[in-house]
Amino acid sequence: MTFALAELLQFNVNADARGDLIALEKGGGVPFVPVRVYYIDAPRGVRGCHAHYNLEQLLICLRGSCTVLVDDGETRRNFRLESSDCGLHVKPLKWREMRDFSDDCLLLCLASAPYDAADYIRDYDAFLQAIAAQAKLKL
Ligand code: TYD
């Protein structure tokens, strides 16, 4: 399902009596080349609260559930992730906040670039300024 803010991707499930196998590869579930994988086990409180200048991410709730708020500076929308067979594709310059974690939540992130603290926008006003600067470039 495509939303203006982020895309909720449904993965192909290889289901048999032994369980569900889900394979992700570029062109087959992942819209970019993942070069970094990290996961947050038993997240609590509110996480994220930042945007990225360049990074693309695919967020997958492997176990349990959580809510991801995505904000493009004009519109915000909550996405509930509660199944390991779907992922939320978040593009650059989108503010995200993750919250409402179930106790057993295991949140996986595939990322398009190595960790780079300089790619983070952690201040919401700076995020709005970055959006405005991008809009000017497109004029
Ligand atoms: P942080 O960005 O605060 O997590 P979240 O956005 O989910 O709230 O990251 C927590 C810590 O982990 C911080 O010290 C940076 C470190 N970190 C890495 O070393 N590598 C990574 O790939 C990520 C995402 C974070």
Side-chain angles (χ1 to χ4, degrees):
M1 253 187 287
T2 303
F3 300 92
L5 287 164
E7 196 175 1
L8 209 44
L9 304 173
Q10 180 66 49
F11 307 137
N12 186 42
V13 180
N14 297 281
D16 62 33
R18 301 166 298 163
D20 294 351
L21 189 151
I22 295 161
L24 302 177
E25 58 186 56
K26 186 171 183 325
V30 186
F32 53 83
V33 181
V35 299
R36 176 167 53 111
V37 175
Y38 66 89
Y39 46 91
I40 309 172
D41 198 355
R44 288 178 294 280
V46 182
R47 302 202 58 127
C49 302
H50 62 255
H52 287 280
Y53 288 106
N54 295 305
L55 192 72
E56 288 187 58
Q57 291 178 312
L58 185 61
L59 298 170
I60 304 165
C61 200
L62 289 181
R63 192 181 60 220
S65 57
C66 69
T67 298
V68 183
L69 173 130
V70 185
D71 176 343
D72 66 2
E74 285 188 348
T75 313
R76 41 181 48 200
R77 182 190 165 103
N78 284 307
F79 296 88
R80 187 77 186 152
L81 301 184
E82 51 194 359
S83 174
S84 61
D85 64 359
C86 71
L88 186 66
H89 179 207
V90 185
K91 291 187 178 174
L93 286 185
K94 309 285 186 229
W95 187 266
R96 85 287 313 276
E97 297 177 9
M98 289 88 83
R99 55 164 61 82
D100 299 333
F101 305 105
S102 62
D103 289 344
D104 60 347
C105 181
L106 175 61
L107 184 61
L108 176 75
C109 178
L110 306 190
S112 64
Y115 178 69
D116 176 10
D119 189 60
Y120 280 70
I121 312 172
R122 293 194 179 273
D123 177 78
Y124 192 78
D125 286 337
F127 162 65
L128 294 179
Q129 284 168 20
I131 297 273
Q134 189 203 42
K136 257 190 193 169
L137 281 178
K138 284 185 177 168
L139 283 179

